Amino acid sequence: MNQGASGIELGTSLGYLMKEVASALRAAMEAVLRPLGMSVTHYSCLELLAQRPGLSNSELARGTFVTRQAMNVLLQALEADGLVTRSAQPASGRALPTQLTAAGRAQLATASAAVKGVEDRMKSHLSPKDQDALRAMLSTCAASLRA
Amino acid sequence: MNQGASGIELGTSLGYLMKEVASALRAAMEAVLRPLGMSVTHYSCLELLAQRPGLSNSELARGTFVTRQAMNVLLQALEADGLVTRSAQPASGRALPTQLTAAGRAQLATASAAVKGVEDRMKSHLSPKDQDALRAMLSTCAASLRA
DNA sequence: TCCAGTATGTCAGAATATTGACATGAATCA
DNA sequence: TGATTCATGTCAATATTCTGACATACTGGA
């Protein structure tokens, strides 16, 4: 009697569960990254850049799920700290390719190991088959939401 | 060769996928709630309050995954708009029970239907059995992260 | 009883992200 | 060619959330 016929049952809502896991994951990541002096977005940017060197500001923003304005502020800080470098001249259009420096790679190495520990803990009670199934369903959900 | 042995493979990382779905879900919710003049947290608070009347500020904060300070700011706005009422006297301790007003319930009804549409779209390509499996695995992940 | 530990509400300041806006460069098309 | 549309980088203002801090209220044990 607590919710109407068209309401959402929080206890069984996939959306609520998704938010719960995402929130717990973010909190766990913050807990291990804070001692390293990094935020989640900070780490995400470096990780993305390590796997896809040369990404532009806008591409990094999309890959880390923030606006390009927010990523721009972050990139300026990362560049000032000597963790990344941005080309002075655009290779094409206005996009400025970004690369990790040696210092950036070094900082990332520590953070990446810590974050991997968190992710391992998250899936510690899932069998490899379960993990594959979860991956597939999450991809399906993401695709459905984009449509 | 893009990442070290202990690195995270973004393309297959459950954590990254989770963030992707949560981000897409939040964006979709914002898209339908904005025309109604509500934010996601605003909606979440009303929904939680409808299903569990009398929750305190701190309990609402935990249920919507924000700090109690942020929820406090939101509750003051909701109260000023006549959507909720807070007891003047704590029933026990310092916790002040909160209730939805008729106006709050009315606003929630519209929003809840819109959000249900988003959630339905998200799971539109999952069978009922898949949905149960996804729920179970997400619960497992949340429990593992809390531990 | 007293005290340490925990939970809550709330204020203030700082950090972070978002929306809005504008100029620039490329691509598409009539 | 010229015009339109789209993507990008960036600045400014706003909004939202968080961290830090403090007082208050309950709880459990010495």
Side-chain angles (χ1 to χ4, degrees):
Chain A
M1 286 276 286
N2 280 341
Q3 75 287 328
S6 70
I8 299 239
E9 180 62 47
L10 251 44
T12 60
S13 160
L14 277 179
Y16 188 81
L17 263 176
M18 205 77 77
K19 190 170 178 177
E20 181 179 358
V21 175
S23 173
L25 176 59
R26 187 178 187 87
M29 286 176 66
E30 281 173 349
V32 300
L33 289 175
R34 179 177 301 276
L36 303 175
M38 306 173 67
S39 71
V40 173
T41 309
H42 177 141
Y43 156 76
S44 300
C45 178
L46 295 187
E47 184 74 59
L48 195 51
L49 220 35
Q51 299 195 22
R52 311 201 33 196
L55 249 43
S56 71
N57 175 47
S58 286
E59 291 169 324
L60 286 168
R62 280 193 293 271
T64 56
F65 312 105
V66 297
T67 62
R68 66 185 196 274
Q69 291 91 330
M71 180 53 66
N72 193 19
V73 172
L74 175 61
L75 273 186
Q76 287 175 3
L78 294 180
E79 190 171 21
D81 289 347
L83 301 173
V84 307
T85 57
R86 305 187 71 184
S87 307
Q89 297 298 330
S92 144
R94 300 192 66 192
L96 301 173
T98 308
Q99 273 91 22
L100 281 183
T101 64
R105 269 186 293 272
Q107 190 184 68
L108 173 59
T110 311
S112 196
V115 170
K116 185 175 190 313
V118 171
E119 181 154 343
D120 285 346
R121 190 169 90 232
M122 177 175 76
K123 58 191 187 188
S124 58
H125 290 84
L126 295 179
S127 69
K129 178 171 285 189
D130 282 345
Q131 294 177 30
D132 288 342
L134 180 53
R135 248 187 296 276
M137 288 193 284
L138 289 176
S139 297
T140 299
C141 285
S144 297
L145 283 169
R146 273 192 300 265
Chain B
M1 287 275 286
N2 281 341
Q3 74 287 328
S6 69
I8 299 240
E9 180 64 48
L10 252 45
T12 60
S13 159
L14 277 179
Y16 189 80
L17 263 175
M18 206 77 79
K19 190 170 178 179
E20 180 179 358
V21 175
S23 173
L25 176 60
R26 186 178 188 89
M29 287 176 67
E30 281 173 348
V32 300
L33 289 175
R34 179 177 301 276
L36 303 175
M38 307 173 68
S39 71
V40 173
T41 309
H42 177 142
Y43 156 75
S44 301
C45 177
L46 295 187
E47 184 74 57
L48 195 52
L49 221 34
Q51 299 193 23
R52 315 210 18 205
L55 249 43
S56 71
N57 175 46
S58 286
E59 291 169 324
L60 287 167
R62 279 192 294 270
T64 56
F65 312 105
V66 297
T67 62
R68 65 185 197 273
Q69 291 90 332
M71 180 54 66
N72 195 17
V73 172
L74 175 61
L75 273 186
Q76 288 175 2
L78 293 181
E79 190 170 21
D81 289 348
L83 301 173
V84 307
T85 56
R86 307 188 70 183
S87 306
Q89 296 298 331
S92 143
R94 299 192 68 193
L96 302 173
T98 309
Q99 274 90 22
L100 280 184
T101 64
R105 269 185 293 273
Q107 189 185 68
L108 173 59
T110 311
S112 196
V115 170
K116 187 175 189 313
V118 170
E119 181 155 342
D120 286 346
R121 189 169 91 232
M122 177 175 76
K123 57 191 187 189
S124 58
H125 290 84
L126 295 179
S127 69
K129 176 171 287 189
D130 283 344
Q131 293 177 32
D132 288 343
L134 180 53
R135 249 187 296 276
M137 287 193 282
L138 289 177
S139 296
T140 300
C141 286
S144 298
L145 284 170
R146 272 192 301 265

